Amino acid sequence: MTTTTAAPRIDADDPMVVAIIGAGAAGITAAHLLNQRGLRPTVFEASSAHGGRMRTATDFVDFPVSLGGEWLTAPAGELAAIVDDPSATITSRLEQYEPTAGSGYYDGAELTVEPLGEFDYLNFANGSWLDFFDDHIIEGIRDQITFNTEIVEVDYTNAPVRLTTADGVVHAANQVIVTAPIAVLQRGGITFVPPLPGDKKAALDAAVVWGGIKVFVEFTKRFYPTFLEFDDSDTATGQRTYYDAAAHHDSDSNVIGLFAVGSAAEPYQARAGDELRNYVLSELDEIFDGAASRTYIGHVAQNWSDEPFIEQAYLNDYADPAIPLALASPLGDRVFFAGDAYTTHDDWGGVDDAAQSARDAVALIVG
């Protein structure tokens, strides 16, 4: 969508205190924290739903299937830090993978399975990241989210900042938090006036953002280990892993998940529907002697590279740390950035990283 050439109209006489672009993990965390500090931000979301890359399928099997962000890569106390309310009871339950769980490796000819050992990532039991935000965050800010509203220009030349929507409406805000994914900024989905400074533009140009896909397949019985990896499961250009998606859920369903990003995702992203299903089943059949095709029930897939207003998985794991540092830097005291790659910390790409960056942005705004 592009900005209309018709004369813009001003939506309000008085500027909003804070506007937030995007209702993913960073955007709704920032809104929640600003509410707690006495500010009521307005969140502009280009799509029709909140959550961004935390999308969850609730109608595939008898547990919530995380089509995007799935694991907690920080200590369990991170959930309480996001809620930031000592009186709140965190109802989401996290589980650790058992060290004895099977970890498989297929070298193209032979499958070997060994104990997983220590594994730092935590998994939501009978829930998902989106469930956590829905249970603890979203109700307090739901009426502050304006859906189906794509911001295409941020003019921070003077105070207040002017935000122009795709249909030509101009909103004004004293301060703005931008949480749009890197890929959206890289393609010029949001025009900044004046243009972004050189260091931030250079960081955007240098950022290699991985595309990504997740596929979930249900079977009548389980024939696979908890994790299954390959030669390309962790490389500088991409990653892919199959895993037991039903782990830690109270379910009798047998569901294997495929997580693939970067170059490792491309063969799957080149296919869709029955062709994608057949490709995945053929791959698993080779490893498990045809068990996948014999026990197949159904599948669901999410190609994040094709998702409007998202268009990516995340900044590649091997990026120069200077890139997210530059992306996180504010534009004076008017425009701030938050998201899984707009971070001053030494990790990026996770939902918890997005929430942490939102806390940092809010701290800069409120002092």
Side-chain angles (χ1 to χ4, degrees):
M1 299 179 69
T2 57
T3 306
T4 179
T5 57
R9 67 184 190 274
I10 305 299
D11 183 65
D13 293 330
D14 297 320
M16 295 170 281
V17 178
V18 181
I20 298 172
I21 300 174
I28 57 183
T29 298
H32 169 71
L33 296 175
L34 288 168
N35 272 358
Q36 289 180 327
R37 288 149 181 79
L39 304 174
R40 283 187 58 81
T42 297
V43 183
F44 295 103
E45 168 55 42
S47 75
S48 60
H50 69 274
R53 283 165 285 170
M54 297 187 293
R55 181 172 298 166
T56 301
T58 59
D59 56 357
F60 177 54
V61 287
D62 58 351
F63 63 87
V65 172
S66 297
L67 298 174
E70 185 163 358
W71 295 280
L72 172 62
T73 61
E78 179 67 17
L79 300 187
I82 295 172
V83 176
D84 194 33
D85 181 358
S87 68
T89 299
I90 306 299
T91 56
S92 298
R93 182 163 59 90
L94 294 164
E95 295 285 352
Q96 188 91 39
Y97 288 92
E98 292 292 336
T100 55
S103 178
Y105 170 71
Y106 184 67
D107 63 4
E110 184 178 358
L111 172 68
T112 57
V113 180
E114 298 179 347
L116 175 63
E118 296 300 322
F119 189 77
D120 292 335
Y121 288 9
L122 297 172
N123 200 10
F124 285 88
N126 302 316
S128 67
W129 266 116
L130 187 60
D131 291 331
F132 163 74
F133 278 93
D134 282 352
D135 291 344
H136 301 285
I137 303 292
I138 201 66
E139 284 308 313
I141 64 168
R142 190 183 299 275
D143 65 347
Q144 295 163 241
I145 305 175
T146 301
F147 292 103
N148 301 307
T149 304
E150 180 186 6
I151 301 297
V152 297
E153 183 178 278
V154 175
D155 185 343
Y156 63 103
T157 306
N158 300 301
V161 180
R162 292 162 60 93
L163 307 177
T164 304
T165 70
D167 56 2
V169 177
V170 177
H171 302 274
N174 292 331
Q175 293 171 307
V176 176
I177 302 177
V178 178
T179 74
I182 296 176
V184 173
L185 299 190
Q186 285 180 324
R187 69 164 171 81
I190 299 177
T191 299
F192 290 87
V193 181
L196 295 174
D199 61 339
K200 193 176 287 289
K201 181 63 167 61
L204 276 176
D205 291 341
V208 176
V209 180
W210 279 339
I213 189 171
K214 291 184 79 174
V215 182
F216 296 87
V217 188
E218 184 184 12
F219 303 98
T220 58
K221 67 178 183 178
R222 176 177 170 176
F223 52 83
Y224 43 84
T226 300
F227 289 95
L228 174 63
E229 298 194 331
F230 309 85
D231 284 342
D232 61 353
S233 283
D234 188 4
T235 74
T237 62
Q239 300 170 353
R240 69 168 173 144
T241 301
Y242 282 99
Y243 61 97
D244 177 14
H248 307 134
H249 297 292
D250 295 333
S251 171
D252 293 326
S253 299
N254 302 292
V255 180
I256 196 169
L258 168 68
F259 160 86
V261 293
S263 59
E266 292 172 1
Y268 306 98
Q269 292 178 308
R271 298 165 169 85
D274 290 348
E275 185 182 3
L276 174 61
R277 176 201 62 196
N278 294 341
Y279 185 82
V280 170
L281 291 179
S282 176
E283 185 170 67
L284 293 173
D285 280 342
E286 178 184 330
I287 304 168
F288 299 106
D289 298 324
S293 291
R294 289 195 303 269
T295 61
Y296 169 81
I297 297 176
H299 74 283
V300 64
Q302 173 67 56
N303 185 350
W304 287 107
S305 301
D306 287 345
E307 186 65 27
F309 313 120
I310 294 179
E311 306 164 24
Q312 64 167 78
Y314 49 79
L315 178 67
N316 83 88
D317 287 346
Y318 298 93
D320 183 338
I323 290 176
L325 188 64
L327 295 175
S329 62
L331 304 177
D333 61 355
R334 295 175 189 161
V335 182
F336 301 83
F337 295 83
D340 60 288
Y342 307 98
T343 176
T344 60
H345 303 276
D346 59 0
D347 196 13
W348 52 84
V351 175
D352 43 290
D353 302 309
Q356 176 65 64
S357 73
R359 293 203 294 273
D360 294 342
V362 169
L364 290 174
I365 290 173
V366 302

